[in-house]
Amino acid sequence: MADRPLRADARRNRERVLEAARELFAASGLAVPLDDIAARAGVGPGTVYRHFPTKEALFEAVTVARLRDLVEFARGCAADDDPAAAFDRFLDRLTEEAAAKRNLPEAFTAVGMEGLVPVQEELYAALAVLVGRAQEVGAVRPEIRVPDLLVLLKAMLQAAGESPDPTVLDRIALVLRDGLRPPTDPGSIL
Amino acid sequence: MADRPLRADARRNRERVLEAARELFAASGLAVPLDDIAARAGVGPGTVYRHFPTKEALFEAVTVARLRDLVEFARGCAADDDPAAAFDRFLDRLTEEAAAKRNLPEAFTAVGMEGLVPVQEELYAALAVLVGRAQEVGAVRPEIRVPDLLVLLKAMLQAAGESPDPTVLDRIALVLRDGLRPPTDPGSIL
DNA sequence: GGCTAACCGGGGCGCGTGTTCCGTATATTC
DNA sequence: GAATATACGGAACACGCGCCCCGGTTAGCC
C-alpha cells in the first residue's frame, strides 16, 4: 500500500517493457506473444509479470495512454469555433494515426477489459459533442450516431492496417468523409 | 484416385460436418475450435479429419461455396443494363449477407489458403467490371480501385458484425454508398 | 447371414503461449 | 563495505487446441 519508490533498475525496465509493448502491439495487435515483448525489451518474461499482472493489463496500459491522447484531442476539437472544421481535423488526426497502429482499432470496441471502459466512455462523450455540433451546422448527416462513427472509424483503421498500399487509406478516408456529409442539400455550402 | 463412391454413413457425416462448420464459422469465424464443430455435428474430431485434411481445408470448403455464389451474383450484376443500379444491387446483397456472417470478410483477403485464391481472383475480376462500368456512367468516383473496395467492404462487414445494434449497418451502408459516389458534379444526375 | 473393407470415436501427442517460481544478482541503506 | 530487501531471468508448469492413431463398429457385397 505504502508505494515505496521503485528501484532505479525496476523503473528503467518498466519503461523498456512499455516501449517494446507499444511498438509490437502497434505492429501486430494483441496477437504478439508476450515473450517477444520481453525479448524486445531485453528482459525475461518474469520481469514483465512483475510489473503487469497479465498480458491484457499490459495492453491496457499501453492503449489507455493512446486513447487518452485521442480523447484530449477530440475535446480540443470540440472547443473549436468552426464545428465543421473541427470534425474534419479529428478525422485527419485519425487517418494519420492509422498508418500502422493496429492496437487502436482493437481498443475502440474491445470488451472485457475493465480498465479500458472509462476511456472508451470519455471518447464516446467527446465524439458526441463533436458530431453533434457538426450536425447542427449541417456538416454531418443527421442520422449518424456515435456508435456508427466508431464502427466506421474502426473499419478504416483496420483496413488501412491490412493493406500494404498506403494510398488505399487516402481513398478510403475520402469515401468516408464524403459519405458522412449530408447528401447535397441545396444551399448547404455555407 | 479411383473415386469409389463414399459409403452412405460417410457421406451423411460429411454433410453434417459441413453444415456445422457453416454455422459455426459464420458465427465466430476461424476462431472456433475444431472440436466444437465436431461436437455440433455429433461426430468425433477424428471423423472431421477423415474428410478434411486440415481445419483450414474445411474453412476453405465452406467459404469457397459462399464466395462462388457472390461471384456469380456479381457477374449477373455486371450484365445488367444500368451500371449504376447494378453496383447498388451488389452493395445491397453484401450488406444483407453481412448480418451475421463473419467468415465472409475473412475470406475476402485471407492469405495462405491455396484453394481460396482462384475464387478471390474471380471476385476481383467480376468487381473490376462492375466498378468500371459504374465509373463510366459517373456512379462511382473514378479514383476508386477494386482493392480499395475490397478492403473497405471487408473492414466494414467485420466492424458491423461486432456491433450488437443491427441498424448500425444500415447507416454505415448509407455512408459507404454516398461516399463512393463522385462529389456532386453538376449534371451527373442523368 | 457372414465376410471384408471402410469408417467412426475419442483418447492422446506435440506445440505454442500465458503464467509462476525460485535461485541469483543488484540497488539501496547504514 | 556489509547487510538486506528488492528485482531479475529463464526454466518449468498449465492449458487449449490442432492433429494423429488404433480398437471397435458398421455398411456394402456375396
Side-chain angles (χ1 to χ4, degrees):
Chain A
M1 297 297 154
D3 294 276
R4 279 263 280 294
L6 245 51
R7 234 170 65 174
D9 56 344
R11 201 167 49 246
R12 195 178 55 239
N13 276 332
R14 190 176 201 282
E15 224 45 56
R16 278 192 194 170
V17 168
L18 275 172
E19 168 86 16
R22 246 191 303 272
E23 295 172 12
L24 292 189
F25 279 144
S28 319
L30 250 175
V32 57
L34 189 135
D35 287 23
D36 287 9
I37 298 179
R40 163 86 101 142
V43 158
T47 302
V48 176
Y49 279 94
R50 176 166 314 279
H51 292 291
F52 303 94
T54 188
K55 185 189 179 184
E56 278 197 356
L58 176 57
F59 185 81
E60 270 186 32
V62 164
T63 307
V64 162
R66 180 184 298 286
L67 274 188
R68 208 171 283 290
D69 283 354
L70 202 63
V71 168
E72 206 171 326
F73 186 81
R75 284 184 179 146
C77 289
D80 199 313
D81 283 344
D82 181 349
F87 187 74
D88 257 29
R89 275 209 303 143
F90 182 77
L91 288 188
D92 281 343
R93 161 75 176 257
L94 219 53
T95 50
E96 275 168 28
E97 296 226 22
K101 305 294 170 60
R102 284 191 62 187
N103 57 336
L104 235 199
E106 286 181 17
F108 271 8
T109 54
V111 291
M113 292 204 201
E114 210 49 50
L116 235 52
V117 174
V119 202
Q120 285 175 336
E121 286 172 355
E122 286 176 31
L123 180 62
Y124 191 105
L127 278 184
V129 175
L130 209 55
V131 172
R133 295 192 61 211
Q135 284 171 328
E136 279 172 19
V137 300
V140 168
R141 55 197 322 156
E143 66 268 52
I144 293 294
R145 290 152 176 262
V146 176
D148 309 344
L149 192 63
L150 282 177
V151 168
L152 279 173
L153 294 179
K154 183 182 175 183
M156 178 178 80
L157 298 185
Q158 246 170 210
E162 283 170 21
S163 168
D165 177 0
T167 71
V168 167
L169 176 59
D170 299 336
R171 292 188 288 272
I172 288 179
L174 205 66
V175 169
L176 240 180
R177 227 180 275 265
D178 280 7
L180 284 171
R181 248 190 288 278
T184 39
D185 211 54
S188 78
I189 309 162
L190 64 128
Chain B
M1 296 301 152
D3 292 276
R4 280 264 279 294
L6 246 52
R7 235 171 66 176
D9 55 345
R11 202 168 47 248
R12 194 178 53 238
N13 276 332
R14 190 175 202 282
E15 224 45 56
R16 277 193 195 168
V17 168
L18 274 173
E19 168 86 15
R22 247 191 301 273
E23 295 171 13
L24 292 189
F25 279 144
S28 319
L30 251 174
V32 56
L34 189 134
D35 288 22
D36 288 9
I37 297 179
R40 162 85 100 143
V43 158
T47 302
V48 176
Y49 279 95
R50 173 167 318 279
H51 292 292
F52 303 94
T54 187
K55 185 188 178 184
E56 278 195 355
L58 177 56
F59 185 81
E60 271 186 31
V62 164
T63 307
V64 162
R66 181 185 297 287
L67 273 189
R68 209 171 283 289
D69 283 354
L70 201 64
V71 168
E72 207 171 326
F73 186 81
R75 284 183 179 147
C77 289
D80 199 312
D81 283 344
D82 181 350
F87 187 75
D88 257 29
R89 275 208 301 145
F90 183 76
L91 288 188
D92 281 344
R93 161 76 175 256
L94 218 53
T95 50
E96 274 168 29
E97 297 226 21
K101 306 294 171 61
R102 286 191 62 187
N103 58 334
L104 231 202
E106 285 183 16
F108 272 8
T109 55
V111 290
M113 293 202 200
E114 209 49 50
L116 235 51
V117 173
V119 202
Q120 285 174 337
E121 286 173 355
E122 285 176 32
L123 179 63
Y124 191 105
L127 277 185
V129 175
L130 209 56
V131 172
R133 295 190 63 209
Q135 284 172 328
E136 278 173 19
V137 299
V140 168
R141 53 197 323 156
E143 65 268 54
I144 293 295
R145 291 151 175 263
V146 176
D148 307 344
L149 198 62
L150 280 177
V151 164
L152 190 57
L153 291 177
K154 177 191 173 178
M156 204 109 62
L157 296 186
Q158 246 169 213
E162 287 167 17
S163 167
D165 177 1
T167 71
V168 166
L169 184 58
D170 300 337
R171 291 187 291 271
I172 286 178
L174 206 67
V175 169
L176 220 200
R177 230 178 277 266
D178 280 8
L180 284 173
R181 248 189 287 278
T184 40
D185 211 55
S188 78
I189 311 161
L190 60 131

